[in-house]
Amino acid sequence: MEIHTDVICPFCGTLCDDIEVHVENGRVMEALNACKLGNAKFMSMNKKNRHIVPMVRGEDGFTETTIEDAVERVARMLVDAKKPLLYGWATTECEAQSVGIELAEEVGGVIDSCASVCHGPSVLAIQDVGFPSVTLGEVKNRADLDIYWGSNPMHAHPRHMSRYSRYPRGYFRERGQQDRTVIVIDVRRTDTAGIADKFLQVSPGDDYELVNAFRTLLNGGDIPDEVAGIAKKDIASALELMKTCQFGMLFFGVGLTMSPGKHRNIDNAISLVVDLNKYTKFNLIPMRGHYNVTGFSEVLTWQSGFPFGVDYTRGYPQYNPGETTSVELLSRGEVDAVFVVGSDPAANFPKKAVEHLAKIPSAVIEPHETPTTYLCDLNIPSAIAGIEVEGTAYRMDNVPIRMRKIMDAPAGLYSDREILEMILLKVREIKNGA
Amino acid sequence: MKEIILKVISQPTVGLEAENIAPKVFACKSSMEIAGLPIYEGNRERRLGDFFDVSGEAGEAEAETRIVIEGDVRLTKRIGQGMRAGEIHIKGSAGMHLGSKMRGGKVTVEGDCEAFCFQEMRGGVVHIKGNAGNYLGSATRGNWRGMRGGTITVDGNAGSEIATFMKGGKIHVKGDCASFAGVHMNKGFIVIDGRAERRIGAEMIGGTIVANEVEAMLAGFKPVETVKAPEIESEKFTGNYKKYSGDHADSRAKGTVWVKIQ
């Protein structure tokens, strides 16, 4: 039996780096230290419901094909399109993302990641008002107040609180839990709220009003007796905790980025953090979902200058979320081919967007069976990044971590990067030859 | 002033980018030359004549050129981008980025206009007879300096986040307005004759907004006084108005919102 230690868990943005995986005869026997979600990802390697040959849709449903044929079909689809969309990227390694961006530029398409339906608004707000942030290591060693707003780490990032915020003993927080205070702000009493010291139940969609009230009180103003369903005294006492802590943290999730107001909620929340720095040290970290969605923003920013939703149709990068992001492009019918890499838009996008996706030529690189693999015309299975392929991923606090390879992929499967390189080569061949 | 008429003859599949449809580009050109100008359908370069039938005559200068577009150009983006003089008359609905960064001249739209129109405008006169989309007269992504001059009149309703980071000029919406009108506003003047959704003037640090009715005011707005028939920015308004100062979420708050008392 092989024992791999310090394995990186390729599931959520917490990117835990202390997993111990036991592998015997190509089967994962155990994934120690991993949470329920991470454990499920490692153990799913033993399941048999995995395509290992590319499938193409014909008149009688899907038929198997070769990797060469599949690569050529994708390359032709991308070259023939006037405005192809290359979407996904959050669950693959940075090296593959880099090739994907080169491909988007080569074919004159739009490249976008899951950030546009998740933490894209956080990025917009950061561009408007700045980003006072720290790394999770500092949170562990210094933070004595953690606020989770619109985020439920008990279920979405299960080890986040045990590794960084609620429980661990840090350099300046020797007593662990006793030295730390947790506030949860959410629309319902989540399991995270159950272990918090203070819970504020904001009425749905009124997050902006609550941030506004916090900032108004902080700046010496007065507020009505009740704002966003919360009594003034509760708002004031939570604010007092924020002002008097030594090192405060605001962690926010999709509950804040995707509730009415979107990037304006984050914009105002960042401004609240900036205002709190007049009293104490305060920072924020977005609770990024997929394990390498942060990495895609990093890689795309190196290569194009913008973090998501980049339009290369004119040969140079253009960026305008709302116009160059996937849901809007698909809903408005502005793209004529879609290439998905490691994502499942068919299950998650609004109906109108998925309807257009079903109408136009489409292809997907995806190791598992998903609604998208059935909706797309072509499906290329790949090796699983972070388990069968090594590569770099970025944690939610923008720290790059090298993911390990712990087992071999089934014979005949290539990594996302290798498949994308083959497609890029083919695209160049077609463009030069035709 | 001479007139060039563009008649829509075919609709693009993935939208057009046509910053070449502008008085400055058309001036001194024959209709044949104009029909040969490049416009972009996705990553393909096409000719203006592929989508429009061009007739009429262009003026000697930008200021002497009037462009009339007959038909629906909802999928055509960037018309009149950066125009400084001349006139554009769209007898239909217009696409995104119409007149963005415009500094002068006149634009009239008979139908609706899509989102992101007249961003960072600095001068000129705009009349939209239908509804306007989101981000009308706003700042481009990441910029903290929005519209600085000119006037925009919308006969219908306007979308959300109009006039973000506004630093001057006037927007008059005769219908209703969605949320976040004048967010981060610094200077300038917005008049809403209908109902404004909540979060009007959010995070504003200057400028003036007048609304006939608001869904709700943010906690950061402080009532100052009630004024009968006030004169605001040298315009007379009838009826009783409640004056708020804000948005006191920001310590620099010097903005004013006037709401009519029903």
Side-chain angles (χ1 to χ4, degrees), chain A residues 419-432:
Chain A
I419 297 167
L420 289 162
E421 278 171 349
M422 285 189 254
I423 295 170
L424 182 60
L425 208 66
K426 199 60 164 175
V427 162
R428 287 185 174 146
E429 251 177 62
I430 295 170
K431 281 176 82 173
N432 293 335

Side-chain angles (χ1 to χ4, degrees), chain A residues 71-391:
Chain A
V71 162
E72 174 142 8
R73 281 171 190 265
V74 177
R76 289 221 176 267
M77 176 189 88
L78 292 173
V79 172
D80 289 345
K82 289 175 189 160
K83 196 169 184 177
L85 169 67
L86 291 83
Y87 175 79
W89 311 106
T91 52
T92 187
E93 79 274 16
C94 291
E95 291 78 357
Q97 294 167 346
S98 177
V99 181
I101 297 160
E102 206 179 337
L103 180 64
E105 190 171 357
E106 189 68 47
V107 299
V110 184
I111 188 157
D112 191 22
S113 77
C114 313
S116 74
V117 289
C118 167
H119 270 285
S122 313
V123 175
L124 285 177
I126 288 165
Q127 289 171 339
D128 270 348
V129 291
F131 188 38
S133 188
V134 291
T135 61
L136 288 168
E138 282 180 88
V139 177
K140 178 192 169 197
N141 287 317
R142 295 172 190 272
D144 60 341
L145 175 68
D146 299 290
I147 303 172
Y148 287 97
W149 196 324
S151 165
N152 187 8
M154 281 284 272
H155 294 289
H157 302 81
R159 296 185 71 211
H160 192 270
M161 285 193 291
S162 60
R163 279 170 66 83
Y164 305 114
S165 67
R166 167 87 271 196
Y167 301 110
R169 290 163 199 270
Y171 191 84
F172 296 108
R173 301 289 163 240
E174 288 172 357
R175 295 183 301 161
Q177 185 176 0
Q178 288 166 298
D179 283 346
R180 299 172 192 269
T181 309
V182 172
I183 302 176
V184 169
I185 304 171
D186 214 318
V187 292
R188 59 180 162 268
R189 188 174 278 279
T190 59
D191 287 339
T192 308
I195 56 163
D197 299 294
K198 194 170 180 66
F199 170 57
L200 299 180
Q201 187 162 10
V202 58
S203 44
D206 284 350
D207 301 273
Y208 191 90
E209 278 71 11
L210 183 57
V211 187
N212 186 279
F214 274 131
R215 287 187 69 199
T216 305
L217 274 183
L218 191 66
N219 283 318
D222 196 20
I223 60 167
D225 291 337
E226 190 186 293
V227 177
I230 303 169
K232 183 179 168 182
K233 67 171 179 26
D234 291 330
I235 297 175
S237 66
L239 188 67
E240 201 51 36
L241 284 174
M242 295 182 209
K243 279 163 72 175
T244 51
C245 74
Q246 291 178 337
F247 189 105
M249 279 307 303
L250 171 62
F251 296 104
F252 58 95
V254 180
L256 195 58
T257 67
M258 284 291 152
S259 72
K262 290 194 165 187
H263 57 293
R264 293 293 164 218
N265 294 339
I266 312 303
D267 152 351
N268 215 0
I270 294 174
S271 299
L272 170 66
V273 167
V274 171
D275 291 350
L276 281 165
N277 274 287
K278 288 174 191 160
Y279 298 87
T280 181
K281 175 76 181 154
F282 226 95
N283 318 280
L284 79 166
I285 291 181
M287 297 289 280
R288 304 301 292 260
H290 292 304
Y291 72 88
N292 200 19
V293 68
T294 316
F296 181 77
S297 297
E298 294 284 333
V299 179
L300 189 57
T301 309
W302 304 332
Q303 290 183 222
S304 76
F306 302 109
F308 69 105
V310 170
D311 182 345
Y312 275 111
T313 48
R314 296 287 295 272
Y316 53 86
Q318 294 189 79
Y319 164 77
N320 188 21
E323 180 192 359
T324 61
T325 38
S326 312
V327 172
E328 290 78 11
L329 284 169
L330 285 165
S331 309
R332 290 166 54 89
E334 278 192 39
V335 286
D336 56 352
V338 175
F339 180 38
V340 181
V341 178
S343 186
D344 190 10
N348 298 301
F349 274 12
K351 184 167 170 264
K352 207 175 164 195
V354 179
E355 276 172 4
H356 188 69
L357 173 62
K359 273 187 236 159
I360 56 180
S362 53
V364 57
I365 298 182
E366 169 68 51
H368 303 102
E369 289 178 24
T370 66
T372 305
T373 58
Y374 287 104
L375 198 71
C376 287
D377 304 327
L378 176 71
N379 160 29
I380 307 178
S382 64
I384 294 173
I387 296 177
E388 294 166 347
V389 183
E390 67 167 6

Side-chain angles (χ1 to χ4, degrees), chain B residues 159-218:
Chain B
S160 57
E161 296 202 27
I162 66 163
T164 63
F165 292 96
M166 189 180 198
K167 276 180 80 76
K170 183 187 169 185
I171 296 183
H172 184 178
V173 180
K174 293 188 178 168
D176 300 338
C177 198
S179 58
F180 286 108
V183 57
H184 280 290
M185 187 172 174
N186 196 347
K187 276 180 196 148
F189 189 32
I190 302 174
V191 181
I192 301 161
D193 290 353
R195 184 172 192 262
E197 278 181 25
R198 62 186 181 160
R199 299 168 184 176
I200 181 174
E203 294 180 78
M204 74 192 289
I205 54 169
T208 311
I209 306 178
V210 182
N212 187 47
E213 195 188 336
V214 292
E215 185 186 352
M217 290 302 287
L218 285 167

